[in-house]
Amino acid sequence: MKGVVFLGERKLALQEFPDPTPGPDDVILEIKASGMCGTDLKAYREPFVPGVVRGGIKRSETPVIAGHEPCGVVVEVGANVSERRARVGQRVMDHHYQGCGVCRHCETGWRQMCVDGAIVFGSVDHGAHAP
Ligand SMILES: [Zn+2]
Ligand SMILES: [Zn+2]
């Protein structure tokens, strides 16, 4: 699978990555659209500095697939994902933060405030500028 990577200083590249496979609690999306916003433009324009924290978001140590405003269709579900939670063919948009899932913030839907620190897709882990 190819994904768009921001190299910094207004350069980007299409790089090859392994196709994703779902963990037990994950789903895989076929991306239908992936937005660009001001956060993306900062990452696109600034030099890539591995691990730097800007605006409260830590950049990855190595380039990751950019894009944090995706929508798509569920194409695969993990072993622990019930039909009630997500099913193949379901159209979804994805909140681009992943937390621990059990702290008071995660349990009330505020994963970006996770007490363990949130993973930000498109900055810290792979995002959605990819199929
Ligand atoms: Zn955004
Ligand atoms: Zn949490």
Side-chain angles (χ1 to χ4, degrees), residues 37 41 50 62 109 116 121:
C37 82
L41 292 177
T62 58
D116 287 346
F121 300 124

Side-chain angles (χ1 to χ4, degrees), residues 107-118:
E107 284 194 329
T108 54
W110 295 93
R111 291 176 283 172
Q112 66 270 36
M113 297 172 70
C114 178
V115 297
D116 287 346

Side-chain angles (χ1 to χ4, degrees), residues 71-114:
C71 65
V73 175
V74 175
V75 293
E76 202 173 344
V77 298
N80 296 340
V81 179
S82 69
E83 177 116 341
R84 192 166 167 220
R85 187 169 280 284
R87 64 191 185 312
V88 171
Q90 184 175 5
R91 298 181 345 170
V92 297
M93 60 178 293
D94 182 48
H95 187 53
H96 57 280
Y97 293 92
Q98 180 177 341
C100 71
V102 295
C103 75
R104 68 183 190 280
H105 298 302
C106 285
E107 284 194 329
T108 54
W110 295 93
R111 291 176 283 172
Q112 66 270 36
M113 297 172 70
C114 178

Side-chain angles (χ1 to χ4, degrees), residues 35-40 68-69 96:
M36 286 282 288
C37 82
T39 306
D40 294 304
H68 64 272
E69 297 181 348
H96 57 280

